[in-house]
Amino acid sequence: MDDGRRPSADDLLVLLAVGRSGRYTTAADELGINHTTISRRIAALEQAIGGRVLTRTPGGWELTDLGRDALAAAEAVESAVDSLSTTGPRQLEGVVRISATDGFSAYIAAPAAAQVQRSHPRIAVEIVATTRRASQQRSSLDIEIVVGAPQVRRAEAIPLGDYCLGLYGSRDYLTEHGTPESVDDLVHYPLVYFIDSMLQVDDLDMTTGFAPAMRESVTSTNVFVHVEATRAAAGLGLLPCFMSDRHDDLIRVLRDSVSIQLSYWLVARPETLRRPVVAAVVDAIHDRMAEQREVLLGTV
């Protein structure tokens, strides 16, 4: 400290809110104060401990090394305040924002969010459906779900589990065009998959190496479009088994030859994972992944 003052507990709790969200505006909404007050509290804290606790990045505010030290103290203050509650078990309350792929969002994240809601009605879960690499600045997100092991800084990457892609055709399409008997036959069939030039995920980009060049049919950035285009007889779709096997009109072909296993990973800041509301959502995601393991792998 450069002036003999001790850091204020209130200022530490402001840092906690900013450090977890990466945004002054989000912290202000959470704490019920205005943006100017957030700035003033952070400035007072920096003066008290003698250094910068936050640094500006393109994606928002990131903690400095000193800021991470101060955050640990802030978490201790929060824990002490929470322990003073005399009204029984603390009711978790807050907003958790998740970014995940389309299929994961619908079949894993949404049921997990519903599970959290049943136990903690005051937790709101926002799900942003997108297929991309893990971002290096995740100030607007609490949790990211990505495909393949990510390379990230100042974040934890946690493996969630595997899922399988298989090759599917609609019953009507296969009746009209025949069922491929070998991988070599696939050169005669159009492929329903992602738009190659817009695909940002390396693991998904490499999956089509199983076959000779298949001409493109319907392509999309959304895997639900892949499923429905395949059901509509646009060609053979390279689809997640957990999304396709629920449709009786889709038939998996070349099961032994085309079975591509990929992995889901969860990415979040360490300080974000320590938030009780986020921990509740992460636990529910793990529960759902375990429950759906065989479905995800296409073995049921």
Side-chain angles (χ1 to χ4, degrees):
M1 303 178 198
D2 63 357
D3 63 357
R5 290 176 43 206
R6 299 181 63 184
S8 158
D10 287 339
D11 295 347
L12 286 169
L13 291 175
V14 167
L15 175 66
L16 188 62
V18 176
R20 285 170 170 171
S21 68
R23 294 186 181 276
Y24 279 14
T25 52
T26 303
D29 290 342
E30 178 184 332
L31 297 173
I33 57 181
N34 60 41
H35 184 283
T36 302
T37 302
I38 294 285
S39 298
R40 181 169 53 80
R41 295 280 196 181
I42 293 297
L45 178 62
E46 290 180 334
Q47 183 176 7
I49 65 177
R52 297 293 302 276
V53 295
L54 295 168
T55 183
R56 186 83 184 194
T57 72
W61 293 96
E62 296 280 349
L63 292 163
T64 64
D65 289 340
L66 181 60
R68 278 188 285 276
D69 291 340
L71 195 78
E75 289 172 334
V77 171
E78 180 186 53
S79 178
V81 171
D82 290 343
S83 71
L84 295 176
S85 173
T86 58
T87 58
R90 185 166 76 104
Q91 188 64 253
L92 296 181
E93 181 176 359
V95 178
V96 178
R97 178 173 287 183
I98 302 171
S99 166
T101 63
D102 299 300
F104 190 101
S105 293
Y107 296 120
I108 303 295
Q115 176 184 322
V116 169
Q117 267 284 300
R118 287 190 292 271
S119 302
H120 307 287
R122 295 183 182 178
I123 296 180
V125 181
E126 298 177 349
I127 302 173
V128 180
T130 183
T131 302
R132 64 184 184 190
R133 299 184 184 94
S135 58
Q136 293 304 320
Q137 286 90 29
R138 54 195 53 78
S139 56
S140 63
L141 297 168
D142 296 301
I143 297 168
E144 287 183 281
I145 308 297
V146 297
V147 175
Q151 301 296 319
V152 291
R153 296 179 294 104
R154 295 182 177 177
E156 289 190 26
I158 302 168
L160 291 176
D162 296 334
Y163 73 102
C164 183
L165 297 180
L167 203 58
Y168 291 80
S170 71
R171 196 179 306 276
D172 290 344
Y173 180 84
L174 295 174
T175 297
E176 180 179 353
H177 297 278
T179 301
E181 296 183 358
S182 71
V183 168
D184 290 338
D185 291 342
L186 294 177
V187 72
H188 304 296
Y189 293 83
L191 178 66
V192 177
Y193 196 53
F194 286 99
I195 302 172
D196 184 65
S197 62
M198 298 181 70
L199 189 55
Q200 300 181 29
V201 179
D202 293 340
D203 284 39
L204 290 171
D205 194 26
M206 295 186 293
T207 55
T208 54
F210 65 84
M214 298 172 69
R215 64 182 175 87
E216 291 183 343
S217 175
V218 176
T219 56
S220 173
T221 58
N222 188 306
V223 72
F224 282 98
V225 174
H226 304 168
V227 172
E228 293 307 316
T230 304
R231 296 182 70 198
L236 298 181
L238 184 58
L239 309 173
C241 298
F242 70 90
M243 297 180 66
S244 307
D245 290 343
R246 63 187 66 235
H247 296 292
D248 292 338
D249 56 333
L250 288 178
I251 308 298
R252 189 171 177 184
V253 301
L254 301 178
R255 178 184 291 267
D256 294 335
S257 303
V258 183
S259 181
I260 300 161
Q261 194 159 301
L262 301 174
S263 58
Y264 284 125
W265 288 70
L266 183 150
V267 180
R269 302 179 184 192
E271 57 269 19
T272 299
L273 289 170
R274 291 195 292 270
R275 288 177 60 197
V277 292
V278 173
V281 173
V282 171
D283 286 345
I285 288 173
H286 279 296
D287 289 346
R288 180 68 178 172
M289 286 293 295
E291 175 189 312
Q292 294 293 302
R293 182 178 183 278
E294 292 185 356
V295 175
L296 288 163
L297 294 174
T299 57
V300 294

